[in-house]
Amino acid sequence: MDMRKVVVSGLALLSTGIMLSACGNGGGTSSEGKTEIEFYNQKKEMQSTLDEIIKDFEKENPDIKVNFTNVPDGATVLKTRISSDDAPDVINVYPQNNDFQEWAKDGVFKDLTENDYLDNLKEGAAETYAINDKIYSVPLTSNAWGFFYNKDKFEELGLETPKTWAEFEQLVTEIKDKNETPFALSLTQSDAWTLNGYHQLAWATTNGGFEGANDALVRSPKGAIKTSNADFKNVTKELDLLSGNGQKNASGATYDDAVAAFAKGDALIFPNGIWALPAVQNQEPEFEIGMFAYPGQKEGEELTVGAADLALSIAESSENKEAAEKFVEYMTSKEAMQKYYDVNGAPTSVMSVDTEGKFPEMQGVNQYVFTDQQIVWLQKEWTSEETFHHMTVEYVNSGDKDKLASNLNNFFDTMK
């Protein structure tokens, strides 16, 4: 899922009305006697590839027709349809999101726990998103967050990627000593989302992972986040590594500005998610790109953060569950997901997909996806997240620890 903010447009609202009046849940029989199912997609950038995969499926299953739905602002349209008891048969929906979890608890999705095709996935991939020990989502790919770096410049200057936080601090010092700029940053509030991964991973590596981070943030008593806490001190120390170490005018830079600064070689490290790689490559950088994960306190404790991207659920209300199951099963096959992976490059849970030697730019982070060194976005247990983005950038720009502690308490106390 692209983490950039989506603007709800009039076209999206018009599409909602069209969808509600025209689509139903896609179930039924076509005039040719085929069983029809609707596949609702939110990966707009992968529409053409998914269309090819659907055609391949229909060739293997000539008695099934897949109606492929793509609309602007798919999340808003989906909420409207589900609230109107009009769920599509097969749905690309993000299982880390609060609305998915509530829908699953309310019986919107079919229980997939006993399906044999889950064995096609890496161990624990589906179980990560279980609700009350039941599986309602088949996560096929994941996004991930880390640090892009200029491999050519690192080699030229004799720099090495860090394996611990202490090494990361030393790396930043060495970059500055060689009269280079460490980070390409976008420190405006409009693009505050870009450092969400950094701040979340600071809490996670400090507190031992997802559970420890949320114990400190959202499960602790009200007002428990204090500047005197050891974990708060460490987190702010790690955030401080960004302060004053960005490109010129970083405090007024947008996401696009940060992409350009990195691609032009004006900064050697670009903190962001793997989804940013196409944007960097579109700038035609004249150097080789690599990535490394967020370093932990000790070697081997590095982490990435991310969550399911292409993930499929089946509506409990579907009139054609057998056909929907066949389609979801097909999507867990090498035939389907190899075609998807070769275009998208996002880490896949489908074990049969050949990933060796492909998308080497992201390998430094992708190697940890679907392992115990990837945590799910912490907001999986929050009721909102945008304010967290804003306080992150506010702190990096100001360095005001009292204000950050106050902001964190004000934000999380509403969830306690």
Side-chain angles (χ1 to χ4, degrees), residues 301-320:
E301 294 180 351
E302 58 271 23
L303 292 177
T304 183
V305 60
D309 200 23
L310 179 65
L312 305 183
S313 296
I314 296 174
E316 182 60 48
S317 61
S318 172
E319 296 176 2
N320 290 306

Side-chain angles (χ1 to χ4, degrees), residues 261-279:
F262 177 66
K264 289 189 296 184
D266 292 343
L268 303 192
I269 303 170
F270 177 41
N272 219 291
I274 59 175
W275 54 80
L277 180 61

Side-chain angles (χ1 to χ4, degrees), residues 251-266:
S251 61
T254 64
Y255 167 78
D256 291 336
D257 293 333
V259 168
F262 177 66
K264 289 189 296 184
D266 292 343

